[in-house]
Amino acid sequence: MSTAPTSPVRIGALAPLTRPGWTEAGRHLLAGLELAVGEANAGGGIAGRPLELLVRDTAADPRRAEAAVEELAGLGVAALAGEYHSVAARAAAARADALGLPFLCSSAVLDALTERPSDRVARLAPAQSHGWRVYADFLLAEGHSRIAVATEPGVYWAAGTRILRDHLAPRGGTVTELDARALSARELAGELAADGATALLLLTGFPDPAVPLVRAVRRDPRLAGLLVGAPAGQPEFPAWEALLRGDGTGIPFLRYLPERPTPLGARVEATLRARLAAPPSFVALEGYDTIAVLAEALRAHGTDRDAVAASWPRVTVRGTRGEIRFTRPGDAPVRQWAWSPVQVADRDPAAPARFRTLHALPGDPTLPALPGHPTLPGAAPTVRN
């Protein structure tokens, strides 16, 4: 007697897989999502039903993200996962909330992921204000209080500039904005030399104009002592090394990893390294953790959309980078893992494929709310020179 196949539990997945999206980030995110789905199914799925991932490309376009959410909701997905770009994630979150569709955002960090509080939306990545304050503290600890930012128009870059200025100003720091669209790379280097800033932060897209800017600064003898930084994480991915080689080393950036991998993190990292034929970024681990959380919510609370959304404050999962549980810190509009571990790292000038940890803050769910200063009670960030 034959048995009818068990219908899958569908999860919609959003990722930037074509330009102008950051396709390398999208590929890593998708690799993590797919690995976790495969492992969940190998472990019996959801009460005997397999998980099925329905992937849609956002190309970092808010309108495409909204259309994908509409389509996936119509296809009966139990929840939505993924997205790297904040502008696309914000559009997806608004549409998911309006449709009553649970959305666990993997990687976008913009604080205002939704304009109003939502019980449907949760997020794994730390809020931008948390991570970028950690980065600002690193700059101050290294003696950099006069900062220049090369920036482009956009809500994410504007938010980053505001966070840096608001955090540095009470501590004696200044932030000068330079328009990376209005100025050529050479002109911007000239402005830097005249300004006297000791650090330039790249709040720009990759590869353009970030790569030409780095090359121009590295080749200008007037800027020999200038620190170049990239808090948005551009140096994390292999394409950075491939395009810049030695010029791309010694550029501090944010990444969301613990100082030492958990046993699960080490195993997942090794598997993803083989799949990607390259070291996996923290974005790939965010993808894996997203499915790990959703699979636990679906197993424990059922596949009904309301039940999944209601599970955010009750679910606890051992992820690749620590224990994951969700709260609503401060005035955050969505449920948040507060917080994942944060590192400031760079590529080693002696071996560009190797990363160095320069400054680290352990992840801890008891950290203060968003408006507060991100330090752990009884512990201090580690700094390595």
Side-chain angles (χ1 to χ4, degrees):
M1 180 178 177
S2 62
T3 303
T6 303
S7 61
V9 178
R10 290 178 160 181
I11 294 176
L14 304 178
L17 302 175
T18 56
R19 301 287 296 166
W22 196 344
T23 58
E24 197 170 18
R27 190 167 66 92
H28 281 231
L29 176 59
L30 184 57
L33 294 167
E34 290 177 336
L35 175 60
V37 166
E39 292 188 357
N41 287 337
I46 308 302
R49 299 171 62 190
L51 278 179
E52 180 182 4
L53 204 62
L54 302 185
V55 181
R56 296 296 182 269
D57 172 25
T58 66
D61 183 337
R63 287 172 295 183
R64 286 186 64 165
E66 289 175 344
V69 174
E70 291 270 4
E71 179 194 2
L72 291 165
L75 292 171
V77 299
L80 195 66
E83 194 45 51
Y84 176 81
H85 292 283
S86 286
V87 290
R90 188 169 65 163
R95 198 71 201 110
D97 185 55
L99 293 171
L101 181 60
F103 175 30
L104 180 52
C105 182
S106 303
S107 300
V109 300
L110 192 69
D111 282 37
L113 190 59
T114 57
E115 291 186 2
R116 61 183 185 182
S118 171
D119 291 327
R120 297 280 170 175
V121 182
R123 174 166 56 188
L124 280 174
Q128 187 179 12
S129 60
H130 176 70
W132 287 47
R133 286 173 188 156
V134 174
Y135 193 92
D137 285 339
F138 162 76
L139 292 175
L140 291 171
E142 293 293 306
H144 299 287
S145 59
R146 191 165 181 175
I147 311 301
V149 296
T151 188
E152 294 182 286
V155 63
Y156 175 71
W157 304 123
T161 302
R162 183 174 62 253
I163 292 163
L164 291 168
R165 181 175 283 120
D166 289 350
H167 192 70
L168 291 170
R171 296 160 178 81
T174 62
V175 176
T176 301
E177 292 185 60
L178 300 173
D179 190 334
R181 285 195 177 178
L183 300 171
S184 69
R186 183 173 295 181
E187 288 169 340
L188 196 141
E191 292 283 338
L192 280 170
D195 180 77
T198 64
L200 168 68
L201 306 185
L202 304 171
L203 309 193
T204 65
F206 174 82
D208 292 319
V211 169
L213 283 173
V214 171
R215 288 175 177 154
V217 168
R218 294 297 201 205
R219 285 157 176 71
D220 192 323
R222 297 171 298 175
L223 304 175
L226 184 77
L227 174 75
V228 180
Q234 297 94 324
E236 169 79 10
F237 294 93
W240 178 272
E241 182 198 356
L243 289 171
L244 283 166
R245 302 295 180 186
D247 284 343
T249 64
I251 297 179
F253 65 95
L254 283 168
R255 62 198 319 220
Y256 306 118
L257 294 172
E259 286 195 83
R260 295 176 182 83
T262 66
L264 174 62
R267 179 182 66 76
V268 169
E269 191 275 341
T271 305
L272 287 170
R273 182 184 291 264
R275 287 193 174 201
L276 292 164
S281 67
F282 68 86
V283 177
L285 299 182
E286 287 175 331
Y288 183 97
D289 287 342
T290 301
I291 297 299
V293 169
L294 286 174
E296 177 60 25
L298 292 163
R299 290 189 194 104
H301 302 284
T303 59
D304 177 78
R305 291 175 179 176
D306 289 340
V308 174
S311 75
W312 299 141
R314 293 182 285 164
V315 69
T316 300
V317 172
R318 191 178 299 277
T320 61
R321 296 160 298 139
E323 184 178 89
I324 299 168
R325 50 194 175 108
F326 296 95
T327 60
R328 197 189 293 275
D331 56 358
V334 302
R335 300 285 181 183
Q336 174 76 54
W337 179 22
W339 303 101
S340 67
V342 179
Q343 291 181 9
V344 179
D346 70 359
R347 288 184 176 271
D348 190 343
R354 185 171 63 206
F355 295 108
R356 304 183 299 184
T357 301
L358 308 174
H359 182 92
L361 190 72
D364 192 296
T366 64
L367 282 172
L370 285 176
H373 184 66
T375 53
L376 278 169
T382 59
V383 180
R384 293 186 179 82
N385 296 316

